[in-house]
Amino acid sequence: MRKFYLALLLMISATIVILPSVKAVSESNEKHQQLTVSEQGYSLSLPNEYALQKEEDGKDILFSTKTPYTWMRIEVLSGKESTSKSYLDRSKELFDDQFGKSLKISSTSLFIQPVVFASISGSKKETAKLYVLRETKGHPPLKITMVTAKNSDDEKKLISIVNSVKTHE
């Protein structure tokens, strides 16, 4: 019984030591982000391990410099495109052609607001998601194709990048 209490005491003291260091790491990670301005007329907060470049007119590609299979295409839409049924159908068809048959997922998301349409597909190495976002105050309508390595934490990072997008006034 004495060993049990000793082990419990050790776990509690380790937690007390670890928690402040976890907070310090998250604070230092926030400092390693840079405000990046796109040629498409928006800015976003980009962690150092990601790079943003213009893919073609109206589209940027963001990719991880550390994790293979992790990238995101950001396309700025007109307000009409983001809600047009024919545009959404065409977007899903192109997504399916590139990543294989996809499933529609909820048109609401806990992490990205407000989503008009979302679809998911995947392979053995990666998961692909398509999001079409409505325009909100300060946030342009976007079509986002997000590809992340299977079982990685990259999706959370990419979603935080999406949520940081702001249009220039």
Side-chain angles (χ1 to χ4, degrees):
M1 190 68 156
R2 186 176 183 158
K3 287 181 183 179
F4 171 76
Y5 287 118
L6 186 56
L8 184 63
L9 181 62
L10 253 128
M11 285 183 358
I12 292 170
S13 61
T15 303
I16 292 170
V17 170
I18 290 171
L19 285 177
S21 64
V22 168
K23 184 177 180 188
V25 168
S26 68
E27 286 172 357
S28 70
N29 284 343
E30 289 174 13
K31 293 175 187 171
H32 295 298
Q33 294 199 1
Q34 54 192 334
L35 186 66
T36 303
V37 179
S38 162
E39 289 184 34
Q40 315 309 328
Y42 64 87
S43 62
L44 60 133
S45 183
L46 203 58
N48 286 339
E49 70 266 17
Y50 290 90
L52 179 75
Q53 66 186 37
K54 182 178 176 179
E55 185 177 35
E56 59 186 65
D57 283 343
K59 295 180 186 177
D60 290 323
I61 188 125
L62 182 143
F63 56 92
S64 172
T65 57
K66 293 186 176 180
T67 310
Y69 307 109
T70 297
W71 56 273
M72 181 167 60
R73 179 179 295 116
I74 302 172
E75 183 178 349
V76 180
L77 306 173
S78 72
K80 291 178 183 176
E81 280 180 318
S82 68
T83 56
S84 159
K85 176 139 175 60
S86 62
Y87 180 80
L88 297 176
D89 290 343
R90 202 167 56 253
S91 294
K92 184 180 184 312
E93 285 174 18
L94 291 171
F95 182 77
D96 288 354
D97 286 346
Q98 188 171 3
F99 298 103
K101 186 73 175 150
S102 65
L103 298 171
K104 181 179 178 186
I105 53 180
S106 173
S107 57
T108 58
S109 169
L110 299 173
F111 309 108
I112 303 176
Q113 296 289 343
V115 174
V116 176
F117 180 83
S119 193
I120 185 169
S121 185
S123 70
K124 290 181 181 177
K125 294 182 180 179
E126 63 192 16
T127 300
K129 291 187 178 178
L130 169 69
Y131 294 101
V132 178
L133 282 70
R134 276 197 184 106
E135 182 174 14
T136 61
K137 185 170 174 54
H139 201 301
L142 301 174
K143 176 181 169 185
I144 295 169
T145 305
M146 184 184 301
V147 178
T148 55
K150 281 271 192 210
N151 303 318
S152 72
D153 293 333
D154 295 319
E155 184 175 11
K156 292 174 191 167
K157 293 176 190 173
L158 293 177
I159 286 173
S160 72
I161 292 169
V162 170
N163 287 330
S164 75
V165 171
K166 302 280 185 248
T167 51
H168 295 275
E169 302 282 336

